[in-house]
Structure formats: structure tokens, C-alpha cells
């Protein structure tokens, strides 16, 4: 009789990609955590201890329903309530493009955590480029909003984010580029929809 506990399938393919970088039992801070689904998944798969930071009232209630420790706060105001090196990993999953102060949040992630993990939709993906060439801002699965109602204000490519890391004195430890649940090795800035980076302070 097989008594092995099956691995819970993630709600989003990027959850599994992030989980591969997390050491079991790690202390996590998830910025812009939504309803806490990622933290719940990491708790199930990596037995992490973590907090989420979220501003939206409905999402905060979702975190509480999911059993997630959540702090209601605006990320734009910084992470001053957290001491330096308080966490093993600080995660910003598909939220970077909605931040007004992108460099500041990267620096705060590096201060508060030993490592940072960021994921974002790659604006350099070829289908996005085609839509721009045709005269329209991209609308896709990874960029689902129209230009007039989008929360995304700082879209970037892989090269743009790597330049930002250099500006913020961050060393990139690993990069993973995906199209749905497939990792992209060939021409990642052209063929990848989502980018994932793991980095630390220089």
C-alpha cells in the first residue's frame, strides 16, 4: 500500500517555480501576497513559516481564511517595520510591475531578507512585441489589463530587470524564464512569458 502523501498541485505554475528555490523550514515574507495562496502552498510543500503583506481589505480577509499571518500595509511606504535580515527569503510575485518605487522595494527586500525572489511578466515576450508593432499595448494571459484600467505602471524586460539589480547592488543567483509550465532556455527574453529571479546583496 502506497502511503506517500501526494504533492498538492499549485494554483499557478509560478508557485512551483518559486517553491524550488525555497529551503524547507525557511522564514518567508511575501509582499503583495493577495489572498495568501502562495504562502499556503509553500507551507504545504516546504513547511515554511511566513508573513504576508497586503493592502487590499478583501485579500486580507482571504489570508485570514487561508490561515495566513498577514500584515495590512502599503508596500510603497517601505518595510521599516521589519528589522534587517529578519527573513530567509522575501518574495515579490507578479507585483513588481505595479510598484511606483521599484528600486526602493528591491533595496528593502535586500535589507530585510537574506535573499529576494521576484517574478514578473516579461514585456519582451514576442507576442507583446507584435501587439506593440501593430499599434496597441499588449493584452494577454500574463498582462490581462487594457492600457486604461491596468495597475501595471512599470513593465520591463529581462534586461531591464537585470540592469535594475545592478543599480541596487544585487547579485543575481538564479534566473528562470517560463511559458506557462515550461522552462524556456532558448531566447528567453523573446520566448518567455514570466521571469523569475533569485538574488542577494553584493
Amino acid at each position: 500500500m502506497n502511503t506517500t502523501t501526494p504533492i498538492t498541485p499549485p494554483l499557478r505554475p509560478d508557485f512551483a517555480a518559486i517553491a524550488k528555490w525555497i529551503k524547507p523550514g525557511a522564514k518567508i515574507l511575501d509582499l503583495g501576497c493577495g489572498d495568501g495562496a502562495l504562502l499556503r502552498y509553500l507551507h504545504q510543500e516546504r513547511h515554511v513559516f511566513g508573513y504576508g503583506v497586503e493592502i487590499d481589505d478583501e485579500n486580507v480577509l482571504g489570508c485570514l481564511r487561508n490561515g495566513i499571518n498577514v500584515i495590512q500595509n502599503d508596500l510603497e511606504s517601505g518595510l521599516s517595520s521589519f528589522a534587517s535580515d529578519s527573513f530567509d527569503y522575501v518574495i515579490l510575485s507578479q507585483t513588481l510591475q505595479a510598484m511606483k518605487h521599484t528600486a526602493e522595494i528591491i533595496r528593502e527586500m535586500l535589507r530585510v531578507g537574506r535573499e529576494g525572489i521576484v517574478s514578473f511578466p516579461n514585456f519582451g515576450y514576442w507576442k507583446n512585441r507584435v501587439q506593440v508593432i501593430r499599434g496597441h499595448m499588449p493584452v494577454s494571459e500574463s498582462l490581462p489589463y487594457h492600457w486604461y484600467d491596468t495597475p501595471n505602471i512599470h513593465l520591463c524586460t529581462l534586461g531591464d530587470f537585470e540592469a535594475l539589480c545592478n543599480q541596487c547592488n544585487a547579485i543575481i543567483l538564479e534566473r528562470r524564464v517560463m511559458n506557462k509550465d515550461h522552462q524556456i532556455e532558448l531566447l528567453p527574453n523573446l520566448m518567455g512569458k514570466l521571469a523569475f529571479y533569485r538574488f542577494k546583496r553584493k
Side-chain angles (χ1 to χ4, degrees):
M1 181 178 179
N2 186 0
T3 59
T4 303
T5 303
I7 295 175
T8 306
L11 299 176
R12 296 184 345 210
D14 55 316
F15 285 9
I18 291 170
K20 289 179 181 178
W21 285 340
I22 303 295
K23 293 179 180 178
K27 190 175 182 183
I28 306 290
L29 181 64
D30 185 9
L31 305 177
C33 65
D35 64 0
L38 173 58
L39 272 174
R40 185 178 182 183
Y41 179 74
L42 292 176
H43 178 71
Q44 291 171 343
E45 300 302 321
R46 291 291 185 265
H47 308 290
V48 305
F49 173 78
Y51 290 91
V53 178
E54 177 59 47
I55 191 170
D56 181 77
D57 292 337
E58 190 60 36
N59 280 334
V60 169
L61 289 174
C63 285
L64 296 175
R65 285 191 291 267
N66 279 324
I68 299 301
N69 299 312
V70 62
I71 298 166
Q72 189 166 23
N73 195 24
D74 183 2
L75 296 181
E76 300 290 0
S77 65
L79 303 176
S80 59
S81 56
F82 298 103
S84 299
D85 294 320
S86 299
F87 297 90
D88 297 307
Y89 304 92
V90 180
I91 300 172
L92 189 69
S93 176
Q94 297 196 48
T95 304
L96 181 73
Q97 70 277 4
M99 298 294 300
K100 293 179 182 177
H101 306 291
T102 51
E104 287 81 356
I105 198 64
I106 294 295
R107 292 188 182 103
E108 280 289 85
M109 291 174 70
L110 291 167
R111 179 186 66 81
V112 170
R114 294 176 179 84
E115 292 186 8
I117 296 175
V118 165
S119 68
F120 57 87
N122 174 30
F123 197 70
Y125 178 52
W126 72 271
K127 288 187 178 181
N128 296 336
R129 300 186 193 201
V130 168
Q131 290 189 57
V132 171
I133 289 171
R134 289 178 174 173
H136 299 282
M137 285 296 291
V139 178
S140 65
E141 182 182 347
S142 57
L143 294 169
Y145 300 96
H146 293 89
W147 67 270
Y148 52 83
D149 64 0
T150 181
N152 300 325
I153 57 176
H154 285 144
L155 297 167
C156 66
T157 67
L158 275 61
D160 293 327
F161 181 75
E162 290 169 13
L164 176 64
C165 284
N166 186 60
Q167 178 185 329
C168 295
N169 293 317
I171 299 172
I172 295 171
L173 301 172
E174 290 186 73
R175 182 184 77 182
R176 182 174 288 121
V177 183
M178 298 183 69
N179 192 329
K180 296 185 178 178
D181 58 348
H182 302 294
Q183 186 167 338
I184 304 299
E185 302 288 351
L186 180 65
L187 300 174
N189 199 34
L190 188 65
M191 304 304 294
K193 284 185 178 182
L194 283 177
F196 303 80
Y197 285 85
R198 183 169 71 92
F199 52 91
K200 68 176 183 178
R201 291 189 297 268
K202 284 185 179 177

